[in-house]
Amino acid sequence: MKKLLIGMVLLCSLLYSDGFDDYLKNFDYKAIKEMKIRTVEMLNMVEDGRAQVIDIRFPDEYEAWHMGFAKNIPINELPDRLSELDKNKLIITACPHNDRANIARMFLMFKGYRVKYLSDGLLSTTDYLKGSNAQEFMDEYKKDEAK
C-alpha cells in the first residue's frame, strides 16, 4: 500500500507539478486539519445534506459490506466518473482505514473539488453506527432524503 501511495504522489506531482509544488510550499497545520474529517462530523454533514460520501473501494469490497448513504466509485474509476460528484456538497472520500481515501482526496482537490477524507475510516464508522446511534442517524438521514 505504501508503494501505491508513493506512486500516486509521484503521479500527481508529475501531472500537477506547479500546483503540487504550491500545495506543499503552503502546507501547514491548518491544511492538515482541513483535509480530514472524522465519523461523527461526517455523519452530521450527511444528515444535513451538506456532504456526499464516496466509498472508493473496489466493487468486491463494496459488495461484501457498505454504508447505505455512500456512493461507490472505485478509486481506479474516479477520473472517468467525476460527473457523478455533487459540486454543491463537500465530497468525503472513504475506505476502511484512510490510505486510498487520502489518495482520492488529493486527486479531487487538484481537480477543484471541496474534499476531505474520512480520517478514522469506514471501520470506525461501522463501530460507531451500532444500536441507538444507527437508529438516530437513519431517522435523520431519511428526513433529509425526503426533502
Side-chain angles (χ1 to χ4, degrees):
M1 192 50 64
K2 287 182 183 179
K3 289 179 182 178
L4 176 63
L5 181 58
I6 292 168
M8 289 299 294
V9 169
L10 290 174
L11 177 62
C12 285
S13 66
L14 290 173
L15 294 175
Y16 309 102
S17 59
D18 292 338
F20 195 68
D21 287 353
D22 290 342
Y23 175 71
L24 289 180
K25 287 177 184 177
N26 294 306
F27 197 82
D28 57 11
Y29 290 109
K30 182 180 176 189
I32 291 170
K33 183 178 180 183
E34 290 176 352
M35 67 189 220
K36 302 176 185 182
I37 192 167
R38 296 188 58 82
T39 291
V40 174
E41 184 182 0
M42 173 195 68
L43 294 173
N44 287 332
M45 291 188 78
V46 169
E47 283 176 1
D48 296 342
R50 296 180 290 143
Q52 180 183 24
V53 178
I54 305 300
D55 183 332
I56 53 85
R57 295 178 298 147
F58 297 117
D60 293 339
E61 294 174 280
Y62 185 81
E63 188 177 339
W65 66 272
H66 62 272
M67 303 288 166
F69 56 85
K71 179 173 188 64
N72 181 230
I73 302 179
I75 193 167
N76 60 339
E77 296 178 18
L78 192 56
D80 296 327
R81 295 179 62 184
L82 295 176
S83 64
E84 298 176 43
L85 302 179
D86 187 338
K87 292 185 178 185
N88 297 314
K89 295 181 179 182
L90 174 69
I91 304 299
I92 300 171
T93 57
C95 66
H97 299 285
N98 67 35
D99 48 356
R100 290 177 281 173
N102 198 7
I103 293 167
R105 179 203 63 87
M106 191 178 304
F107 172 77
L108 292 173
M109 180 190 69
F110 280 108
K111 291 290 187 180
Y113 288 86
R114 286 184 320 118
V115 62
K116 294 184 179 209
Y117 76 94
L118 182 61
S119 62
D120 51 348
L122 289 172
L123 293 176
S124 290
T125 304
T126 60
D127 192 46
Y128 178 81
L129 286 175
K130 292 180 181 174
S132 61
N133 283 345
Q135 181 183 24
E136 290 171 19
F137 170 75
M138 290 309 298
D139 288 347
E140 291 299 317
Y141 179 68
K142 287 176 185 175
K143 284 181 196 175
D144 185 61
E145 288 291 300
K147 290 180 187 178

